[in-house]
């Protein structure tokens, strides 16, 4: 039903869903990728690809400094609301990263790298945590920082200006209030204009910047940590997991009280606000991705501890599901529960997926039961209008398909990991362990016990559901098994 809705509301000409204003809706794209994997429906993948390319070509994407704005005021993705949000860029990096795995097309990896270039350059604190947003306005005008006149571009690029302006729709009359938003909507190709881009970027840096909201929000940081850690694997870029690690360390050291209670926000040394269910859920998601990228037991341990706290503070023992506010919060007449997935996934959607993955990793069956209770608690609401819950449906997907556990044991596993991480496997959990591993990892993940490499060669153990393949040290065999 959700797929049928997205099929009907899809804009086949420009990508995305519905008419103006048009939002990126990366959660819809993550759902459609899973639907394609599950059903083999090629149209689902086409919808994802058309949307990802359309958004990139439009002015909603900053072709000079990178990163996405919040939404487009028109159907074509041309004129954005120029504000840039951390969460949009995190979720879009996940969507482009998954599309790269699903298709192998280098274009998607390029966009992910550009998003992270923007985030690590402009949205990262000296301590490694991520800022919240950048405003649309500068000098009292929306978009002034981001737009150009034809004369400005000609002066900067000289004899290269003509072809650049043709590619990026820079005209004398302008496409936005007499100025120009660079875009590739009408361009037949996606040109390589790196030298010209750098010249324009350097000139733009001398302008008055839009105001930056330099609050550090626990939840939105959790999303960016998840995006960085996931793409560290998908793109084979360890620097992204290092950036994620720095942010995690900042949050755990600065946004927790002495009793372990997570807090919501931080700015200039001041921390405030009790974290909500989504703050816990998003950070646990980030820690789970970071554990898969680094194999460091402390990240899994922290995820489990925060998950225990989440249940203790937010779980509804009678009806199932998570309340938005903790039981230690202000006395409220009602305690709402959020399950709708809009621009952000709901706490219950992310937590359901976290519960299932943590249960699978650790063998804690009570966590899987929590997720199943969420399915029961919210099932009627979701069945009535499934397109409003695309990330919750990602948790349903994870529970319904036979899960894939991939354990890579041994040193020098680079080739094996490159093969595994290049594939689109949304139902997989990856565990990498050295022979002389931290024994606490065996305690956290009981299925690791007794697993050792054969003949000192990195060995891969693959189980789908309860069926396990014979262990192998042959990269070709690993690809064959996973391709099936």
């Amino acid at each position: 039903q959700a797929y049928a809705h997205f099929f009907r509301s899809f804009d086949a000409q420009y990508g995305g869903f519905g008419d103006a204003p048009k939002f990126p809706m990366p959660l819809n794209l993550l759902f459609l990728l899973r639907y394609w994997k599950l059903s083999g429906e090629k149209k689902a993948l086409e919808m994802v690809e058309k949307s990802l390319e359309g958004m990139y070509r439009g002015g909603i994407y900053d072709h000079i400094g990178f990163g996405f704005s919040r939404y487009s005021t028109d159907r074509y993705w041309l004129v954005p609301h120029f504000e840039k949000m951390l969460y949009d860029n995190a979720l879009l990096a996940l969507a482009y990263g998954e599309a790269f795995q699903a298709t192998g097309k280098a274009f998607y990896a390029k966009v992910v790298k550009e998003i992270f270039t923007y985030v690590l350059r402009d949205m990262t604190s000296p301590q490694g945590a991520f800022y919240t947003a950048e405003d649309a306005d500068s000098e009292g005008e929306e978009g002034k920082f981001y737009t150009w006149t034809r004369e400005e571009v000609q002066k900067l690029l000289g004899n290269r200006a003509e072809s650049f302006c043709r590619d990026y729709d820079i005209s004398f009359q302008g496409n936005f209030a007499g100025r120009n938003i660079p875009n590739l909507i009408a361009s037949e190709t996606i040109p390589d204009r790196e030298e010209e881009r750098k010249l324009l970027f350097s000139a733009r840096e001398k302008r008055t910047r839009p105001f930056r909201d330099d609050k550090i929000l626990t939840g939105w940081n959790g999303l960016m940590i998840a995006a960085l850690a996931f793409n560290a694997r998908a793109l084979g870029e360890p620097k992204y997991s290092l950036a994620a690690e720095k942010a995690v360390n900042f949050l755990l050291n600065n946004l927790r009280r002495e009793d372990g209670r997570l807090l919501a926000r931080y700015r200039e040394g001041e921390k405030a606000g009790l974290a909500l269910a989504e703050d816990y859920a998003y950070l646990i998601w980030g820690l789970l991705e970071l554990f898969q990228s680094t194999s460091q037991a402390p990240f899994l341990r922290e995820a489990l501890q925060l998950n225990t706290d989440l249940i203790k503070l937010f779980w509804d023992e009678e009806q199932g599901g998570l309340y938005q506010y903790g039981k230690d919060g202000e006395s409220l007449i009602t305690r709402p529960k959020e399950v709708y997935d809009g621009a952000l996934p709901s706490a219950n959607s992310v937590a359901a997926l976290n519960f299932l993955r943590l249960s699978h990793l650790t063998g804690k069956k009570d966590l899987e039961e929590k997720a199943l209770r969420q399915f029961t608690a919210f099932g009627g609401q979701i069945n009535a209008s499934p397109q409003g819950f695309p990330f919750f449906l990602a948790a349903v997907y994870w529970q319904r398909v036979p899960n894939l556990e991939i354990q890579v044991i041994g040193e020098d596993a680079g080739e094996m990991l490159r093969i595994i991480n290049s594939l689109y496997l949304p139902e997989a959990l990856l565990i990498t362990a050295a022979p002389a591993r931290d024994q606490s990892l065996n305690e956290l993940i009981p299925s690791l016990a007794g697993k050792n490499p054969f003949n000192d060669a990195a060995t891969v153990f693959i189980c789908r559901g309860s069926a396990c393949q014979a262990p192998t040290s042959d990269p070709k065999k690993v690809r064959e098994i996973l391709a099936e």
Side-chain angles (χ1 to χ4, degrees), residues 5 14 46 55 68 81 86 135 138 184 196 218 231 235 307 354 361 383 388 392 396 408 418 422 476 480:
H5 174 88
Y14 295 101
E46 285 171 22
M55 287 188 289
F68 282 91
H81 174 51
L86 183 70
D135 268 5
S138 57
L184 294 167
E196 293 93 326
T218 300
N231 280 297
L235 274 60
N307 203 60
N354 290 342
L361 270 174
N383 279 332
F392 198 97
V396 175
V408 183
R418 270 191 296 280
S422 72
K476 283 184 186 169
E480 276 171 31

Side-chain angles (χ1 to χ4, degrees), residues 214-225:
D214 60 3
K215 281 195 308 295
I216 289 161
L217 299 178
T218 300
W220 296 9
N221 268 255
L223 294 177
M224 186 53 74
I225 289 160

